[in-house]
Amino acid sequence: MRTGRNLVITDVRVILCSPGRNFVTVKIVTESGIYGLGDATVNGREMAVATYLREHVAPCLIGRNAHDIEDIWQYLYKGVYWRRGPINMACVGAVDMALWDIKGKAADLPVYELLGGRSRRAIGTYAHATGNTIDDTLTRAEELMGQGFQAIRLQTAVPGLDGSYGVLGDKKDYFELQSDRPLPPEHPWSTRKYMNSIEELFREARARHGQDIQLLHDVHSRLTPIEAAKLGKMLEPHDLLFLEDAVAAENQESYRIIREHTTTPLAIGEIYNTIWDCKELIQNQWIDYIRTAATHAGGITGLRRIADFAALFHVRIAPHGAPDLSPICFAAQSHVDIWAPNFGIQEFVGFGNATSAEVFSHDLKITDGMIHIGDSPGLGVDFNETAAEKHPYKRSYLPVSRLEDGTLWSW
Ligand code: CS2
Ligand code: MG
């Protein structure tokens, strides 16, 4: 269904909903009736993006040509004067993926065809195994291996610390909506207790599950560079696919210290919002995988730019795939994954629950740990506004972390 060069934007709708989690969805409608969808969710700060989109972005889009993706990207990036930042860039990202969706539908082609076509048959993923004990985690890993997953992230509660990252704290998964708590839940942290217990998890994993399975681990920015270097060395015998977010890297130079001490591959980037946040990490080859997500790093345009730059330095993409990214973001980055010559792996924790399936539909399928992308035009996703109305937004915060003496720490 070719529509020619001019595809005037007539409406920009911003919809907040909570089908199990909070999501911010952008729907851009054109005069031809073709519409595009984007995900602008910033976990725990949804009202900020929704207001920014409604009050500041939507009025600037009406009357523009939806085909002009690059110009609109630059207009919302350079044109606002206040460059970068997570709220601004999630809005740029949502608009950008909605415009790619429209362009694909107008061309009657899936977005990956517009990016240059497929580089692979399907998208390799890693799943999550978490548990309160090493045994729980490894039993879960075994189930996932039985389902065909060939790469698994392992997280286990740290003995003596309730609710440490990635496991059920207070019987409530950190992936679930925390709307029954008026303020952020607080979790304790001790680097010493963590460092004394983590190696055993991977030693046991190799003993029980052998060498073929790929193993990963997320430190969630809890360490200093030299502690991370020590951890990387400690885990070397267990051959991780990557160690994620060992250190928060506002100071990108921190990764030089880790890199100089260990051959454990390093990954970072889920909270980055532009190529500038990872420029030094990539060009100095201090990391192996860049984990920027389509929503948070400026959409398909932002992610493609990061992927191309990373390819020059042997860095592969491994986009963030947590459930607080909506299926629209997941689909958008799947189109990049299937195209990118330097794709590494996609994080995958399911396609959401039955309630979210009433609101979001998509043409992705998972078999044997691989995501298969359909050939629907555009992003291959849809959004049911009537179903979304039944699940109104509920305020919910991510947890915070404190050392045992009360000092606020990275969560
Ligand atoms: C995590 C995320 O998936 C990951 O690697 O770090 O689950 C993260 O904690 C959440 O997405 C925060 O919004
Ligand atoms: Mg992470």
Side-chain angles (χ1 to χ4, degrees):
M1 188 218 298
R2 178 92 193 122
T3 57
R5 259 297 290 162
N6 204 6
L7 210 45
V8 176
I9 298 173
T10 51
D11 193 13
V12 179
R13 292 214 275 283
V14 181
I15 305 119
L16 268 153
C17 66
S18 192
R21 296 204 55 89
N22 288 318
F23 295 116
V24 183
T25 302
V26 177
K27 183 168 180 175
I28 299 183
V29 185
T30 63
E31 64 181 350
S32 69
I34 296 179
Y35 61 87
L37 296 166
D39 173 33
T41 309
V42 175
N43 195 3
R45 292 294 183 272
E46 297 84 2
M47 293 301 272
V49 267
T51 308
Y52 187 94
L53 280 163
R54 282 184 186 134
E55 298 297 322
H56 303 293
V57 175
C60 301
L61 295 177
I62 307 296
R64 286 182 187 277
N65 184 353
H67 273 310
D68 295 343
I69 299 177
E70 188 62 50
D71 183 65
I72 292 176
W73 197 97
Q74 300 294 341
Y75 183 80
L76 296 177
Y77 179 80
K78 293 180 186 152
V80 298
Y81 186 66
W82 306 104
R83 299 177 187 212
R84 306 167 65 182
I87 304 301
N88 180 36
M89 291 309 292
C91 297
V92 176
V95 169
D96 181 83
M97 62 182 90
L99 297 179
W100 278 99
D101 193 21
I102 291 170
K103 197 185 274 296
K105 288 174 179 166
D108 202 19
L109 288 170
V111 166
Y112 65 77
E113 295 291 12
L114 306 179
L115 294 173
R118 287 171 183 255
S119 296
R120 55 195 54 79
R121 283 188 301 280
I123 300 163
T125 68
Y126 70 90
H128 288 195
T130 63
N132 286 321
T133 62
I134 290 178
D135 190 55
D136 288 351
T137 302
L138 297 184
T139 303
R140 176 70 188 135
E142 210 166 320
E143 285 164 23
L144 292 165
M145 288 165 75
Q147 292 165 26
F149 286 96
Q150 290 148 40
I152 303 177
R153 187 188 92 165
L154 304 180
Q155 309 288 138
T156 297
V158 177
L161 295 179
D162 281 345
S164 39
Y165 169 71
V167 297
L168 302 179
D170 197 11
K171 300 265 178 272
K172 196 141 196 203
D173 195 334
Y174 74 108
F175 278 151
E176 283 175 25
L177 208 64
Q178 304 281 335
S179 56
D180 53 341
R181 301 173 198 230
L183 293 172
E186 304 214 346
H187 293 169
W189 181 251
S190 155
T191 297
R192 189 154 188 86
K193 288 179 178 159
Y194 168 73
M195 293 293 262
N196 284 343
S197 61
I198 186 68
E199 193 266 341
E200 194 187 343
L201 170 64
F202 286 88
R203 187 164 15 99
E204 282 294 314
R206 286 293 175 215
R208 258 172 81 166
H209 301 318
Q211 292 301 317
D212 287 348
I213 186 82
Q214 305 260 32
L215 300 177
L216 304 90
H217 181 62
D218 188 350
V219 185
H220 237 243
S221 311
R222 304 286 172 87
L223 302 178
T224 65
I226 203 68
E227 288 164 353
K230 189 173 170 187
L231 176 64
K233 279 176 89 162
M234 198 156 55
L235 296 178
E236 267 172 35
H238 312 307
D239 192 22
L240 268 60
L241 179 72
F242 64 62
L243 183 64
E244 177 188 341
D245 287 356
V247 170
E250 283 93 337
N251 175 12
Q252 298 180 37
E253 184 87 21
S254 300
Y255 272 68
R256 182 176 58 74
I257 299 175
I258 315 174
R259 197 61 150 180
E260 281 170 357
H261 289 90
T262 179
T263 57
T264 293
L266 303 170
I268 192 167
E270 66 183 43
I271 65 166
Y272 290 171
N273 47 73
T274 66
I275 196 165
W276 301 101
D277 299 323
C278 46
K279 175 176 167 279
E280 289 150 51
L281 290 167
I282 292 172
Q283 75 186 14
N284 291 304
Q285 301 182 60
W286 288 331
I287 58 168
D288 301 278
Y289 294 88
I290 179 69
R291 294 196 10 89
T292 40
T295 291
H296 301 132
I300 288 177
T301 300
L303 200 53
R304 180 186 58 177
R305 211 161 266 148
I306 291 171
D308 272 339
F309 177 62
L312 303 182
F313 302 96
H314 305 283
V315 175
R316 289 184 274 180
I317 62 163
H320 186 204
D324 49 273
L325 300 156
S326 93
I328 300 169
C329 170
F330 202 87
Q333 56 197 28
S334 296
H335 285 264
V336 178
D337 291 345
I338 203 99
W339 154 76
N342 57 327
F343 167 71
I345 197 159
Q346 174 62 56
E347 180 181 27
F348 177 73
V349 281
F351 288 126
N353 59 18
T355 321
S356 79
E358 290 166 22
V359 176
F360 298 96
S361 51
H362 57 83
D363 72 354
L364 302 170
K365 289 191 174 48
I366 180 125
T367 50
D368 289 334
M370 306 284 286
I371 291 175
H372 301 267
I373 196 164
D375 56 8
S376 320
L379 295 178
V381 283
D382 214 347
F383 180 74
N384 183 331
E385 287 183 66
T386 318
E389 274 169 25
K390 292 188 202 132
H391 306 285
Y393 164 79
K394 299 178 183 130
R395 184 163 59 214
S396 169
Y397 291 104
L398 277 164
V400 298
S401 224
R402 288 189 189 275
L403 299 184
E404 289 169 297
D405 69 0
T407 308
L408 197 96
W409 205 244
S410 302
W411 178 73

